[in-house]
Amino acid sequence: MCGIVGYVGPRAATPIVVNGLQRLEYRGYDSAGIAVVQNGSIEVRREVGKLSNLVNLLAEQPTNGHLAVGHTRWATHGKPSQQNAHPHRDASGEIVVVQNGIVENFRELRESLQAEGFEFQSETDTEVIVFLIALHYAPEGGLAEAVRKALGYLKGPSAIVALTSREPDKLVAARLGNAGGVAIGLGDGESFIASDIPAILEHTRRMIFLEDRQLAVVTRDGAIVQTLDGQAVRPEVHEISWDPISAAKGEYRHFMQKEIFEQARSLTDTIRGRVDFAAGEVYLEDMPLTAERARSFDRAVIVACGTSAYSGLVGKFMLEKIARIPVEVDYGSEFRYRDPIIDERTLIVTITQSGETVDTLAAMEEGRAKGAYLCSIVNVIGSQAARMSDGVIYMHCGPEIGVASTKAFTSSLVDQYLLALFLAQLRDSIGPLARQKLVDDLARLPELAGRLLDADANTVYEDLAERFHRYRNFLYLGRGINYPVALEGALKLKEISYIHAEGYPAGEMKHGPIALIDRDMPVVTLAPQDEVYDKMVSQVEQVKARSGIVIAIATEGDEFIRSRADHVITIPAAPPLLTPVLSVMPLQRLAYEMAVRRGADVDQPRNLAKSVTVE
Ligand code: AGP
């Protein structure tokens, strides 16, 4: 969602901030703006639409200063317009604010500020923050004190950065609740602020992350962090190991394409250093879980949103089969509203690429309050989910920039497989021979993924996309462990190509969706040779009997399916629990090729955001 980038230091601030915002474009936004302290006053430029519009405006009306903050806005209150774009100014034009999050009580705050004579220029909830800061600004306490006081009025999650021309050497950043991250980058005689690491990674790898209810005064010499109650904080300085090159598109046309094709490598990175293949053992470095606690769990609850939730549905099979623990899976957005039955015998596993999805974080809070053990599977290092957890299993798949999640899905599947093995070790739920077999299976996975991604170049996908990209509806069918893959395949297609697609458990087709089958609705069928293969074949027959078109994902060498389906994409034979890691890849590629042919904005689909930091 919204992105924030700030800079203070000796260099020209505008290009650094704009460049940082460009690196956050993947988060999703519909307007952008920048405020720069220039010759003792503040210059603000804002524009609707893509960042390139702001860049054009800056070319016509340049700014020049050494302290700036920029923002990309994803509209919540008020439509995308220049007035509603951030930064927002107070009436004097000497204080500006950018915000991520939502001021839940903004209507009442707005009314009382209006009663005091403040005139609002926008429809946003953010403007109340800048007026509250202006109201409380006093030279003795300065900007930091005014921000602290202003935040005292706000309900709901907010991450803000404020600056004033009265103190032209500092930015003040603060975090209230879970409105996305606030990373402070420490450079050499310069400092950076960003809502997400890739924005500033090319400048520094040394970062501080603000926790809930913390405030930082950021100058070119670094950051002084305090709680909102005024307690001094000694923040941990993290060294980010990501390679900035891996956050660039390279030879690929889109980030999504790059991220699909790098999955053999990302899976290797997910596994690396965590498995002793000779001993058949798994080590999870950030999971401080004793055997005693692991044995005390009577069930696990996997909570996540979107693609991560579908990953959890696959993980249920892994945890139940390997660790022999009953598993329930729920959406973060539903979980906390049903007064879930959780206690200290519950293992909560959250899956979140960004580590900032507000519904997932809320589920974790619910779990924490009820004494559950919190384990999170996270990609973004230092993100809120990672920091809130008792144990973390990082995906280690590198930055995922495309809004449509691909490599994080497959890495999170592997993480759940590792977790299942780890719990099995601690709970003695399977014998050493069975464990050794599962570990050996895992060792082969990256090579199988590499083969699948190299095979038959792009032609099969290009041909299918050419043929089907104008169709308006697709049905995806899967069964058993591949049913969630059908859900994920349908989600990929709809989010990037805007074609309606529905994922369904294959056995349920005859209870309703079969009425839809005709020549206009292709059916993508996941039919690898597993224990439900025969059942999937009979679904294929049922679709064909109604003149439907079948695109089957099948195991290499399966000639029989070729005689039944209209089109076949093959995947290498893989152990059943790991098949979804492979079977999803053709669906990612198909969705990608369709979206490209439809001229869609693959990496930043309309209305979507990479990290969903609002409810
Ligand atoms: C995936 O393609 C989506 N864009 C979306 O469903 C995403 O998986 C979801 O918002 C959860 O994000 P998270 O993994 O960062 O928590």
Side-chain angles (χ1 to χ4, degrees):
M1 302 213 131
C2 308
I4 294 176
V5 182
Y7 174 77
V8 51
R11 294 192 272 165
T14 304
I16 292 173
V17 168
V18 171
N19 184 273
L21 291 176
Q22 275 161 347
R23 293 187 187 280
L24 295 186
E25 280 194 286
Y26 69 92
R27 289 170 68 101
Y29 68 101
D30 35 47
S31 58
I34 185 168
V36 185
V37 175
Q38 180 174 316
N39 303 327
S41 64
I42 299 179
E43 292 292 321
V44 173
R45 308 280 184 268
R46 304 183 292 188
E47 205 43 287
V48 182
K50 290 284 171 195
L51 237 135
S52 51
N53 299 346
L54 178 67
V55 171
N56 292 341
L57 180 69
L58 283 164
E60 282 165 26
Q61 300 168 27
T63 54
N64 181 17
H66 302 280
L67 181 131
V69 68
H71 188 266
T72 43
R73 172 178 185 253
W74 189 85
T76 57
H77 296 66
K79 60 184 180 308
S81 69
Q82 210 176 53
Q83 250 118 336
N84 289 336
H86 299 211
H88 290 285
R89 270 169 290 203
D90 75 323
S92 71
E94 292 175 1
I95 299 174
V96 305
V97 159
V98 297
Q99 178 218 11
N100 287 354
I102 289 183
V103 182
E104 286 167 4
N105 55 336
F106 93 99
R107 279 179 213 290
E108 35 190 293
L109 290 173
R110 190 175 168 116
E111 275 163 26
S112 48
L113 285 161
Q114 276 167 332
E116 297 213 29
F118 287 93
E119 286 180 22
F120 284 78
Q121 309 295 322
S122 79
E123 303 159 278
T124 66
D125 50 339
T126 310
E127 215 178 348
V128 299
I129 306 178
V130 74
F131 287 144
L132 284 168
I133 296 174
L135 187 67
H136 291 286
Y137 189 92
E140 35 320 337
L143 185 62
E145 195 52 33
V147 167
R148 193 193 317 280
K149 286 186 173 148
L151 292 189
Y153 290 85
L154 307 187
K155 290 199 180 126
S158 275
I160 72 158
V161 177
L163 60 87
T164 174
S165 51
R166 297 168 205 164
E167 300 167 52
D169 58 340
K170 68 179 66 138
L171 295 154
V172 174
R175 176 169 188 165
L176 200 59
N178 298 322
V182 181
I184 299 167
L186 307 173
D188 194 5
E190 57 186 355
S191 301
F192 309 81
I193 300 177
S195 48
D196 210 352
I197 296 170
I200 52 177
L201 200 55
E202 68 182 286
H203 304 294
T204 179
R205 307 261 181 113
R206 297 180 63 234
M207 297 197 196
I208 291 171
F209 300 106
L210 285 193
E211 300 287 348
D212 180 20
R213 301 193 56 75
Q214 287 187 350
L215 175 148
V217 176
V218 181
T219 63
R220 53 173 72 192
D221 300 322
I224 296 172
V225 182
Q226 293 183 342
T227 66
L228 287 181
D229 307 320
Q231 303 291 319
V233 172
R234 210 143 166 228
E236 189 183 343
V237 179
H238 298 256
E239 195 69 39
I240 306 297
S241 55
W242 285 358
D243 173 3
I245 304 294
S246 68
K249 238 181 337 217
E251 82 246 37
Y252 292 97
R253 190 161 163 202
H254 296 99
F255 279 109
M256 182 184 177
Q257 188 187 29
K258 170 178 179 262
E259 288 155 7
I260 290 172
F261 280 98
E262 71 192 15
Q263 286 176 103
R265 202 196 70 200
S266 57
L267 291 170
T268 308
D269 291 343
T270 306
I271 299 167
R272 178 175 296 132
R274 288 166 160 178
V275 184
D276 181 335
F277 290 103
E281 279 183 6
V282 168
Y283 307 98
L284 296 176
E285 64 278 18
D286 298 311
M287 270 289 286
L289 181 62
T290 61
E292 194 189 358
R293 186 80 202 263
R295 287 196 189 113
S296 76
F297 299 140
D298 58 12
R299 67 198 237 282
V301 183
I302 302 178
V303 193
C305 298
T307 288
S308 294
Y310 298 154
S311 166
L313 289 172
V314 177
K316 175 182 165 71
F317 284 78
M318 298 170 170
L319 286 170
E320 290 189 342
K321 186 96 187 165
I322 302 175
R324 305 306 297 155
I325 184 167
V327 181
E328 183 188 317
V329 185
D330 204 351
Y331 293 110
S333 51
E334 292 294 326
F335 185 68
R336 69 185 134 148
Y337 294 115
R338 64 176 169 87
D339 191 14
I341 301 166
I342 314 166
D343 57 25
E344 59 289 340
R345 295 167 67 86
T346 314
L347 166 67
I348 292 193
V349 181
T350 46
I351 306 170
T352 166
Q353 187 286 130
S354 61
E356 301 290 351
T357 300
V358 75
D359 285 321
T360 304
L361 296 177
M364 293 177 77
E365 273 161 12
E366 181 84 28
R368 161 78 67 238
K370 293 183 170 167
Y373 186 93
L374 299 183
C375 161
S376 62
I377 293 176
V378 180
N379 193 34
V380 177
I381 293 160
S383 58
Q384 184 67 2
R387 297 202 304 275
M388 278 170 77
S389 301
D390 297 308
V392 188
I393 311 175
Y394 282 109
M395 296 179 194
H396 286 320
C397 64
E400 188 181 66
I401 308 292
V403 163
S405 189
T406 51
K407 62 177 181 171
F409 179 76
T410 48
S411 283
S412 68
L413 295 182
V414 168
D415 271 350
Q416 289 176 94
Y417 190 87
L418 292 170
L419 174 63
L421 282 164
F422 185 65
L423 288 173
Q425 270 163 223
L426 295 176
R427 292 162 64 94
D428 266 336
S429 54
I430 49 169
L433 281 180
R435 221 172 52 214
Q436 183 70 56
K437 162 84 176 71
L438 290 162
V439 162
D440 292 347
D441 287 347
L442 185 62
R444 291 169 46 221
L445 189 67
E447 189 257 319
L448 296 177
R451 232 172 74 203
L452 171 58
L453 292 166
D454 284 347
D456 52 42
N458 280 328
T459 53
V460 55
Y461 301 98
E462 284 169 0
D463 293 348
L464 286 171
E466 198 52 47
R467 196 178 197 120
F468 291 115
H469 73 276
R470 290 196 189 83
Y471 281 60
R472 301 178 59 163
N473 296 291
F474 275 75
L475 185 61
Y476 283 66
L477 298 179
R479 198 160 189 153
I481 199 167
N482 277 295
Y483 158 52
V485 179
L487 296 175
E488 172 60 5
L491 177 65
K492 286 288 88 76
L493 187 67
K494 64 190 144 199
E495 71 180 334
I496 60 167
S497 72
Y498 318 140
I499 296 172
H500 169 247
E502 217 175 321
Y504 233 82
E508 283 292 299
M509 183 183 67
K510 55 190 166 300
H511 299 288
I514 200 162
L516 294 167
I517 304 288
D518 63 14
R519 301 286 311 158
D520 295 325
M521 190 173 73
V523 181
V524 179
T525 314
L526 287 139
Q529 278 171 332
D530 57 12
E531 54 183 355
V532 290
Y533 174 73
D534 292 341
K535 314 256 178 236
M536 287 308 297
V537 171
S538 79
Q539 304 299 328
V540 170
E541 310 269 15
Q542 288 172 29
V543 174
K544 288 310 299 168
R546 284 151 189 90
S547 306
I549 302 171
V550 174
I551 302 169
I553 312 301
T555 307
E556 276 169 7
D558 180 356
E559 290 310 319
F560 179 72
I561 199 93
R562 287 195 187 276
S563 66
R564 295 294 186 272
D566 298 272
H567 308 275
V568 177
I569 304 173
T570 58
I571 58 170
L577 285 174
L578 293 169
T579 301
V581 179
L582 302 179
S583 62
V584 75
M585 291 178 188
L587 307 188
Q588 297 168 342
R589 291 176 75 178
L590 192 59
Y592 173 77
E593 293 295 338
M594 301 265 247
V596 167
R597 266 156 202 78
R598 289 167 68 90
D601 189 346
V602 173
D603 283 334
Q604 293 157 43
R606 68 185 179 209
N607 305 336
L608 289 179
K610 187 65 182 163
S611 34
V612 181
T613 51
V614 296
E615 256 196 79

